[in-house]
Amino acid sequence: MSANAQPHWADISESTSVAGVRFLCGVYRWLGRWPFRLCLYPVVLAHWLGNATARRASLQYLQRLHQFAPGTFARKPGVLTSIRHCGNFAETLLDKILAMGGRYPPERVTTHRDGVMRRVQQGQGGLIITAHIGCLELCQVLADSVPGFRLTALVHTAHAERFNRLLARLDPANGVRLMQVTEMGPATASLLAERVAAGEFVAIAGGRGPLPGGGS
């Protein structure tokens, strides 16, 4: 990377505070989601102000979305839209913790799963494409309600080790496994094909590509 090149958002190192995450989860547990948000947004604002790479990537994404899908926003996305965008991403961290601990309200999850059910009953696997800002861990709700459903979720955890160790402590006995993937090469593709052939599902974020400098 040249001296003038801007760093890629996927190269941002982790800034997770385990104590801070636990505090916010405690606020949610005892007071609910709105008090949680009131405590969360000052953190999000500080991160937005202090991380130029994340701020620039958010604005570029939102403005590109506005360009190709004009009805998405009432006006061209700016500072407030970008802060809300980062806030939505931060809220998914709470959803991940709740889902992995089996505490996410199942009534809040809507699934259209006829195709999945049919393949599970036939012993077949498949590929699930999710939104990049989504929460793969919510597939646990499906795993709990559909006997025989098994899922491998592809994640990149190189910059989120502390947060993922926090998730691992929950140690749920479920059919969802997280698989660390830094580069998508022939060996990884072969392994995933074997799992699908064995009747498992593989989930990957639609926006996930090889990391800069991580190979192809």
Side-chain angles (χ1 to χ4, degrees), residues 153-205:
L154 272 62
V155 296
H156 174 67
T157 60
H159 297 322
E161 292 180 358
R162 288 196 296 272
F163 182 74
N164 282 278
R165 282 200 299 269
L166 182 64
L167 291 181
R169 290 177 189 171
L170 299 173
D171 193 25
N174 57 57
V176 177
R177 292 186 293 178
L178 302 183
M179 179 178 174
Q180 159 68 26
V181 175
T182 300
E183 32 180 276
M184 184 65 73
T188 301
S190 177
L191 175 61
L192 296 178
E194 291 175 1
R195 294 193 178 184
V196 171
E200 291 191 31
F201 285 81
V202 172
I204 184 172

Short mmCIF file of all heavy atoms in Angstrom, two decimals, residues 153-205:
data_model
loop_
_atom_site.label_atom_id
_atom_site.label_comp_id
_atom_site.label_asym_id
_atom_site.label_seq_id
_atom_site.Cartn_x
_atom_site.Cartn_y
_atom_site.Cartn_z
N ALA A 153 -21.41 -21.01 9.77
CA ALA A 153 -21.43 -19.59 9.41
C ALA A 153 -20.00 -19.11 9.23
O ALA A 153 -19.17 -19.24 10.14
CB ALA A 153 -22.13 -18.78 10.49
N LEU A 154 -19.69 -18.57 8.05
CA LEU A 154 -18.35 -18.06 7.76
C LEU A 154 -18.20 -16.68 8.38
O LEU A 154 -19.02 -15.79 8.13
CB LEU A 154 -18.11 -18.00 6.26
CG LEU A 154 -17.55 -19.27 5.60
CD1 LEU A 154 -18.53 -20.43 5.76
CD2 LEU A 154 -17.29 -19.03 4.12
N VAL A 155 -17.17 -16.49 9.19
CA VAL A 155 -16.93 -15.21 9.83
C VAL A 155 -15.45 -14.86 9.69
O VAL A 155 -14.60 -15.72 9.54
CB VAL A 155 -17.31 -15.24 11.32
CG1 VAL A 155 -18.81 -15.46 11.49
CG2 VAL A 155 -16.54 -16.30 12.08
N HIS A 156 -15.18 -13.56 9.74
CA HIS A 156 -13.80 -13.09 9.81
C HIS A 156 -13.57 -12.52 11.20
O HIS A 156 -14.17 -11.50 11.54
CB HIS A 156 -13.52 -12.02 8.76
CG HIS A 156 -12.15 -11.42 8.90
ND1 HIS A 156 -11.01 -12.15 8.68
CD2 HIS A 156 -11.75 -10.19 9.28
CE1 HIS A 156 -9.95 -11.38 8.92
NE2 HIS A 156 -10.39 -10.19 9.28
N THR A 157 -12.78 -13.19 11.99
CA THR A 157 -12.60 -12.79 13.39
C THR A 157 -11.21 -12.27 13.70
O THR A 157 -10.89 -12.02 14.85
CB THR A 157 -12.89 -13.98 14.33
OG1 THR A 157 -11.98 -15.05 14.03
CG2 THR A 157 -14.31 -14.48 14.16
N ALA A 158 -10.39 -12.08 12.69
CA ALA A 158 -9.01 -11.67 12.96
C ALA A 158 -8.94 -10.33 13.69
O ALA A 158 -8.03 -10.08 14.45
CB ALA A 158 -8.22 -11.58 11.63
N HIS A 159 -9.93 -9.45 13.44
CA HIS A 159 -9.93 -8.14 14.09
C HIS A 159 -10.97 -8.07 15.21
O HIS A 159 -11.31 -6.98 15.67
CB HIS A 159 -10.22 -7.03 13.06
CG HIS A 159 -9.18 -6.93 12.00
ND1 HIS A 159 -7.83 -7.11 12.24
CD2 HIS A 159 -9.28 -6.69 10.66
CE1 HIS A 159 -7.16 -6.97 11.11
NE2 HIS A 159 -8.02 -6.72 10.14
N ALA A 160 -11.50 -9.20 15.63
CA ALA A 160 -12.55 -9.20 16.66
C ALA A 160 -12.36 -10.35 17.63
O ALA A 160 -13.31 -10.99 18.04
CB ALA A 160 -13.92 -9.27 16.01
N GLU A 161 -11.13 -10.62 18.01
CA GLU A 161 -10.85 -11.79 18.82
C GLU A 161 -11.46 -11.67 20.21
O GLU A 161 -12.01 -12.64 20.74
CB GLU A 161 -9.33 -12.00 18.91
CG GLU A 161 -8.70 -12.40 17.58
CD GLU A 161 -7.21 -12.59 17.70
OE1 GLU A 161 -6.67 -12.38 18.81
OE2 GLU A 161 -6.57 -12.95 16.70
N ARG A 162 -11.36 -10.50 20.83
CA ARG A 162 -11.91 -10.36 22.19
C ARG A 162 -13.42 -10.54 22.19
O ARG A 162 -13.97 -11.21 23.06
CB ARG A 162 -11.51 -9.00 22.79
CG ARG A 162 -10.04 -8.90 23.16
CD ARG A 162 -9.79 -7.72 24.08
NE ARG A 162 -10.07 -6.44 23.45
CZ ARG A 162 -9.19 -5.75 22.74
NH1 ARG A 162 -7.97 -6.22 22.56
NH2 ARG A 162 -9.50 -4.58 22.20
N PHE A 163 -14.08 -9.92 21.22
CA PHE A 163 -15.54 -10.05 21.17
C PHE A 163 -15.95 -11.49 20.90
O PHE A 163 -16.90 -12.00 21.49
CB PHE A 163 -16.11 -9.14 20.08
CG PHE A 163 -17.61 -9.20 20.00
CD1 PHE A 163 -18.40 -8.58 20.96
CD2 PHE A 163 -18.24 -9.89 18.97
CE1 PHE A 163 -19.78 -8.64 20.90
CE2 PHE A 163 -19.62 -9.96 18.91
CZ PHE A 163 -20.39 -9.32 19.88
N ASN A 164 -15.24 -12.18 20.03
CA ASN A 164 -15.61 -13.56 19.73
C ASN A 164 -15.28 -14.50 20.88
O ASN A 164 -15.94 -15.52 21.05
CB ASN A 164 -14.93 -14.01 18.43
CG ASN A 164 -15.64 -13.46 17.21
OD1 ASN A 164 -16.63 -14.00 16.77
ND2 ASN A 164 -15.14 -12.35 16.69
N ARG A 165 -14.26 -14.17 21.69
CA ARG A 165 -14.02 -14.97 22.90
C ARG A 165 -15.18 -14.79 23.86
O ARG A 165 -15.57 -15.73 24.57
CB ARG A 165 -12.70 -14.56 23.56
CG ARG A 165 -11.47 -15.13 22.87
CD ARG A 165 -10.27 -15.11 23.81
NE ARG A 165 -9.93 -13.75 24.23
CZ ARG A 165 -9.06 -12.97 23.58
NH1 ARG A 165 -8.48 -13.41 22.49
NH2 ARG A 165 -8.78 -11.76 24.04
N LEU A 166 -15.74 -13.58 23.89
CA LEU A 166 -16.91 -13.34 24.74
C LEU A 166 -18.08 -14.19 24.28
O LEU A 166 -18.78 -14.78 25.09
CB LEU A 166 -17.27 -11.85 24.70
CG LEU A 166 -18.45 -11.39 25.56
CD1 LEU A 166 -18.14 -11.60 27.03
CD2 LEU A 166 -18.77 -9.93 25.28
N LEU A 167 -18.29 -14.28 22.96
CA LEU A 167 -19.36 -15.14 22.44
C LEU A 167 -19.09 -16.60 22.77
O LEU A 167 -20.00 -17.35 23.13
CB LEU A 167 -19.47 -14.97 20.92
CG LEU A 167 -19.99 -13.64 20.38
CD1 LEU A 167 -20.05 -13.68 18.86
CD2 LEU A 167 -21.35 -13.29 20.95
N ALA A 168 -17.82 -17.01 22.67
CA ALA A 168 -17.47 -18.42 22.90
C ALA A 168 -17.76 -18.83 24.34
O ALA A 168 -18.05 -20.01 24.60
CB ALA A 168 -16.01 -18.66 22.56
N ARG A 169 -17.68 -17.89 25.29
CA ARG A 169 -17.94 -18.23 26.69
C ARG A 169 -19.38 -18.67 26.90
O ARG A 169 -19.69 -19.38 27.87
CB ARG A 169 -17.65 -17.03 27.59
CG ARG A 169 -16.17 -16.70 27.70
CD ARG A 169 -15.97 -15.45 28.53
NE ARG A 169 -14.59 -14.98 28.48
CZ ARG A 169 -14.18 -13.82 28.98
NH1 ARG A 169 -15.05 -13.02 29.56
NH2 ARG A 169 -12.91 -13.46 28.90
N LEU A 170 -20.27 -18.25 26.01
CA LEU A 170 -21.67 -18.64 26.14
C LEU A 170 -21.85 -20.13 25.83
O LEU A 170 -22.74 -20.77 26.34
CB LEU A 170 -22.54 -17.81 25.19
CG LEU A 170 -22.51 -16.30 25.46
CD1 LEU A 170 -23.25 -15.55 24.37
CD2 LEU A 170 -23.11 -15.98 26.82
N ASP A 171 -20.98 -20.67 24.98
CA ASP A 171 -20.90 -22.10 24.68
C ASP A 171 -22.27 -22.75 24.52
O ASP A 171 -22.61 -23.70 25.23
CB ASP A 171 -20.13 -22.83 25.79
CG ASP A 171 -19.75 -24.25 25.37
OD1 ASP A 171 -19.65 -24.49 24.16
OD2 ASP A 171 -19.57 -25.11 26.25
N PRO A 172 -23.09 -22.28 23.59
CA PRO A 172 -24.40 -22.91 23.43
C PRO A 172 -24.27 -24.27 22.77
O PRO A 172 -23.45 -24.48 21.88
CB PRO A 172 -25.13 -21.93 22.52
CG PRO A 172 -24.04 -21.29 21.72
CD PRO A 172 -22.83 -21.22 22.63
N ALA A 173 -25.09 -25.23 23.20
CA ALA A 173 -25.12 -26.55 22.57
C ALA A 173 -26.10 -26.47 21.41
O ALA A 173 -27.30 -26.68 21.58
CB ALA A 173 -25.55 -27.61 23.58
N ASN A 174 -25.59 -26.10 20.24
CA ASN A 174 -26.49 -25.88 19.12
C ASN A 174 -25.89 -26.40 17.83
O ASN A 174 -24.79 -26.90 17.80
CB ASN A 174 -26.80 -24.38 18.98
CG ASN A 174 -25.54 -23.55 18.82
OD1 ASN A 174 -24.76 -23.79 17.92
ND2 ASN A 174 -25.33 -22.60 19.71
N GLY A 175 -26.70 -26.25 16.76
CA GLY A 175 -26.28 -26.73 15.45
C GLY A 175 -25.57 -25.70 14.63
O GLY A 175 -25.34 -25.92 13.44
N VAL A 176 -25.24 -24.54 15.20
CA VAL A 176 -24.57 -23.48 14.45
C VAL A 176 -23.10 -23.43 14.83
O VAL A 176 -22.76 -23.32 16.00
CB VAL A 176 -25.24 -22.11 14.72
CG1 VAL A 176 -24.47 -21.01 14.00
CG2 VAL A 176 -26.68 -22.13 14.27
N ARG A 177 -22.24 -23.53 13.83
CA ARG A 177 -20.80 -23.43 14.07
C ARG A 177 -20.25 -22.23 13.32
O ARG A 177 -20.64 -21.96 12.19
CB ARG A 177 -20.09 -24.70 13.57
CG ARG A 177 -20.42 -25.95 14.36
CD ARG A 177 -19.58 -27.12 13.91
NE ARG A 177 -19.93 -27.54 12.54
CZ ARG A 177 -19.32 -28.51 11.88
NH1 ARG A 177 -18.29 -29.14 12.44
NH2 ARG A 177 -19.69 -28.85 10.66
N LEU A 178 -19.35 -21.49 13.97
CA LEU A 178 -18.68 -20.37 13.33
C LEU A 178 -17.34 -20.84 12.79
O LEU A 178 -16.58 -21.49 13.48
CB LEU A 178 -18.47 -19.23 14.33
CG LEU A 178 -19.73 -18.67 15.01
CD1 LEU A 178 -19.36 -17.50 15.92
CD2 LEU A 178 -20.77 -18.26 14.00
N MET A 179 -17.06 -20.48 11.55
CA MET A 179 -15.82 -20.91 10.90
C MET A 179 -15.03 -19.68 10.49
O MET A 179 -15.50 -18.84 9.73
CB MET A 179 -16.14 -21.76 9.67
CG MET A 179 -14.92 -22.23 8.90
SD MET A 179 -15.39 -23.29 7.50
CE MET A 179 -13.78 -23.49 6.71
N GLN A 180 -13.83 -19.55 11.05
CA GLN A 180 -12.95 -18.44 10.73
C GLN A 180 -12.43 -18.57 9.30
O GLN A 180 -11.85 -19.58 8.93
CB GLN A 180 -11.79 -18.39 11.72
CG GLN A 180 -10.56 -17.63 11.25
CD GLN A 180 -10.79 -16.14 11.13
OE1 GLN A 180 -11.65 -15.60 11.81
NE2 GLN A 180 -10.04 -15.48 10.29
N VAL A 181 -12.63 -17.54 8.49
CA VAL A 181 -12.15 -17.54 7.11
C VAL A 181 -11.48 -16.20 6.83
O VAL A 181 -12.13 -15.16 6.91
CB VAL A 181 -13.30 -17.75 6.10
CG1 VAL A 181 -12.78 -17.62 4.68
CG2 VAL A 181 -13.92 -19.12 6.29
N THR A 182 -10.20 -16.24 6.55
CA THR A 182 -9.48 -15.03 6.18
C THR A 182 -9.38 -14.91 4.66
O THR A 182 -9.51 -13.84 4.10
CB THR A 182 -8.07 -15.02 6.79
OG1 THR A 182 -8.19 -15.08 8.21
CG2 THR A 182 -7.31 -13.77 6.41
N GLU A 183 -9.17 -16.02 3.98
CA GLU A 183 -9.13 -16.02 2.53
C GLU A 183 -9.96 -17.17 2.00
O GLU A 183 -10.04 -18.23 2.60
CB GLU A 183 -7.70 -16.08 1.98
CG GLU A 183 -6.70 -16.84 2.82
CD GLU A 183 -5.31 -16.85 2.21
OE1 GLU A 183 -5.05 -17.70 1.36
OE2 GLU A 183 -4.50 -16.00 2.60
N MET A 184 -10.63 -16.93 0.87
CA MET A 184 -11.48 -17.92 0.25
C MET A 184 -10.72 -18.58 -0.90
O MET A 184 -10.78 -18.15 -2.04
CB MET A 184 -12.78 -17.27 -0.26
CG MET A 184 -13.77 -18.26 -0.83
SD MET A 184 -14.40 -19.42 0.39
CE MET A 184 -15.49 -18.35 1.32
N GLY A 185 -9.97 -19.64 -0.56
CA GLY A 185 -9.19 -20.34 -1.56
C GLY A 185 -9.80 -21.69 -1.89
O GLY A 185 -10.86 -22.07 -1.38
N PRO A 186 -9.13 -22.49 -2.75
CA PRO A 186 -9.65 -23.80 -3.15
C PRO A 186 -9.87 -24.74 -1.97
O PRO A 186 -10.85 -25.49 -1.94
CB PRO A 186 -8.56 -24.33 -4.10
CG PRO A 186 -7.87 -23.10 -4.61
CD PRO A 186 -7.90 -22.13 -3.48
N ALA A 187 -8.96 -24.69 -0.97
CA ALA A 187 -9.10 -25.60 0.18
C ALA A 187 -10.37 -25.28 0.96
O ALA A 187 -11.12 -26.19 1.36
CB ALA A 187 -7.88 -25.48 1.08
N THR A 188 -10.65 -23.98 1.17
CA THR A 188 -11.85 -23.58 1.90
C THR A 188 -13.10 -23.96 1.11
O THR A 188 -14.07 -24.49 1.68
CB THR A 188 -11.86 -22.07 2.16
OG1 THR A 188 -10.70 -21.71 2.91
CG2 THR A 188 -13.10 -21.65 2.94
N ALA A 189 -13.09 -23.70 -0.20
CA ALA A 189 -14.24 -24.03 -1.04
C ALA A 189 -14.51 -25.53 -1.02
O ALA A 189 -15.67 -25.97 -0.97
CB ALA A 189 -13.99 -23.56 -2.47
N SER A 190 -13.45 -26.34 -1.05
CA SER A 190 -13.61 -27.79 -1.02
C SER A 190 -14.22 -28.25 0.30
O SER A 190 -15.12 -29.11 0.33
CB SER A 190 -12.25 -28.47 -1.23
OG SER A 190 -12.37 -29.88 -1.15
N LEU A 191 -13.75 -27.67 1.41
CA LEU A 191 -14.28 -28.03 2.72
C LEU A 191 -15.76 -27.69 2.84
O LEU A 191 -16.57 -28.49 3.34
CB LEU A 191 -13.49 -27.31 3.81
CG LEU A 191 -14.00 -27.47 5.25
CD1 LEU A 191 -13.97 -28.93 5.67
CD2 LEU A 191 -13.18 -26.62 6.21
N LEU A 192 -16.12 -26.51 2.35
CA LEU A 192 -17.52 -26.09 2.42
C LEU A 192 -18.40 -26.95 1.53
O LEU A 192 -19.54 -27.28 1.89
CB LEU A 192 -17.64 -24.62 2.03
CG LEU A 192 -16.93 -23.63 2.95
CD1 LEU A 192 -17.07 -22.21 2.44
CD2 LEU A 192 -17.48 -23.73 4.37
N ALA A 193 -17.89 -27.34 0.36
CA ALA A 193 -18.65 -28.22 -0.53
C ALA A 193 -18.90 -29.57 0.13
O ALA A 193 -19.99 -30.16 -0.02
CB ALA A 193 -17.89 -28.41 -1.85
N GLU A 194 -17.92 -30.06 0.88
CA GLU A 194 -18.09 -31.32 1.60
C GLU A 194 -19.19 -31.21 2.65
O GLU A 194 -19.99 -32.14 2.83
CB GLU A 194 -16.77 -31.74 2.25
CG GLU A 194 -15.69 -32.16 1.27
CD GLU A 194 -14.37 -32.45 1.95
OE1 GLU A 194 -14.31 -32.34 3.21
OE2 GLU A 194 -13.40 -32.76 1.25
N ARG A 195 -19.25 -30.08 3.34
CA ARG A 195 -20.27 -29.90 4.38
C ARG A 195 -21.66 -29.82 3.77
O ARG A 195 -22.63 -30.36 4.31
CB ARG A 195 -19.95 -28.66 5.21
CG ARG A 195 -18.67 -28.82 6.00
CD ARG A 195 -18.51 -27.74 7.07
NE ARG A 195 -17.29 -27.97 7.84
CZ ARG A 195 -16.92 -27.24 8.88
NH1 ARG A 195 -17.68 -26.24 9.30
NH2 ARG A 195 -15.80 -27.50 9.53
N VAL A 196 -21.79 -29.12 2.64
CA VAL A 196 -23.09 -29.04 1.97
C VAL A 196 -23.51 -30.42 1.49
O VAL A 196 -24.67 -30.83 1.64
CB VAL A 196 -23.04 -28.04 0.80
CG1 VAL A 196 -24.32 -28.12 -0.04
CG2 VAL A 196 -22.84 -26.62 1.32
N ALA A 197 -22.55 -31.18 0.92
CA ALA A 197 -22.86 -32.53 0.45
C ALA A 197 -23.28 -33.44 1.59
O ALA A 197 -24.06 -34.40 1.39
CB ALA A 197 -21.64 -33.11 -0.27
N ALA A 198 -22.79 -33.14 2.81
CA ALA A 198 -23.14 -33.95 3.98
C ALA A 198 -24.46 -33.50 4.62
O ALA A 198 -24.84 -34.02 5.67
CB ALA A 198 -22.01 -33.88 5.01
N GLY A 199 -25.15 -32.53 3.99
CA GLY A 199 -26.45 -32.12 4.50
C GLY A 199 -26.43 -30.88 5.37
O GLY A 199 -27.44 -30.54 5.99
N GLU A 200 -25.29 -30.18 5.43
CA GLU A 200 -25.21 -28.95 6.22
C GLU A 200 -25.51 -27.73 5.34
O GLU A 200 -25.43 -27.79 4.11
CB GLU A 200 -23.82 -28.78 6.83
CG GLU A 200 -23.48 -29.77 7.91
CD GLU A 200 -22.21 -29.39 8.65
OE1 GLU A 200 -21.94 -28.17 8.76
OE2 GLU A 200 -21.50 -30.29 9.12
N PHE A 201 -25.84 -26.63 6.00
CA PHE A 201 -25.99 -25.35 5.31
C PHE A 201 -24.77 -24.50 5.63
O PHE A 201 -24.18 -24.60 6.71
CB PHE A 201 -27.26 -24.64 5.76
CG PHE A 201 -28.51 -25.23 5.17
CD1 PHE A 201 -29.07 -26.36 5.73
CD2 PHE A 201 -29.10 -24.67 4.05
CE1 PHE A 201 -30.21 -26.92 5.19
CE2 PHE A 201 -30.25 -25.22 3.50
CZ PHE A 201 -30.81 -26.35 4.08
N VAL A 202 -24.39 -23.67 4.67
CA VAL A 202 -23.27 -22.74 4.84
C VAL A 202 -23.83 -21.33 4.67
O VAL A 202 -24.53 -21.05 3.69
CB VAL A 202 -22.15 -23.00 3.82
CG1 VAL A 202 -21.10 -21.90 3.89
CG2 VAL A 202 -21.51 -24.36 4.07
N ALA A 203 -23.54 -20.45 5.62
CA ALA A 203 -24.01 -19.06 5.55
C ALA A 203 -22.82 -18.13 5.42
O ALA A 203 -21.80 -18.29 6.10
CB ALA A 203 -24.81 -18.72 6.80
N ILE A 204 -22.95 -17.15 4.54
CA ILE A 204 -21.88 -16.18 4.33
C ILE A 204 -22.50 -14.82 4.03
O ILE A 204 -23.56 -14.74 3.40
CB ILE A 204 -20.95 -16.62 3.17
CG1 ILE A 204 -19.78 -15.64 3.03
CG2 ILE A 204 -21.71 -16.75 1.87
CD1 ILE A 204 -18.71 -16.10 2.05
N ALA A 205 -21.88 -13.77 4.52
CA ALA A 205 -22.35 -12.42 4.23
C ALA A 205 -22.15 -12.12 2.75
O ALA A 205 -21.09 -12.39 2.19
CB ALA A 205 -21.62 -11.40 5.09
#
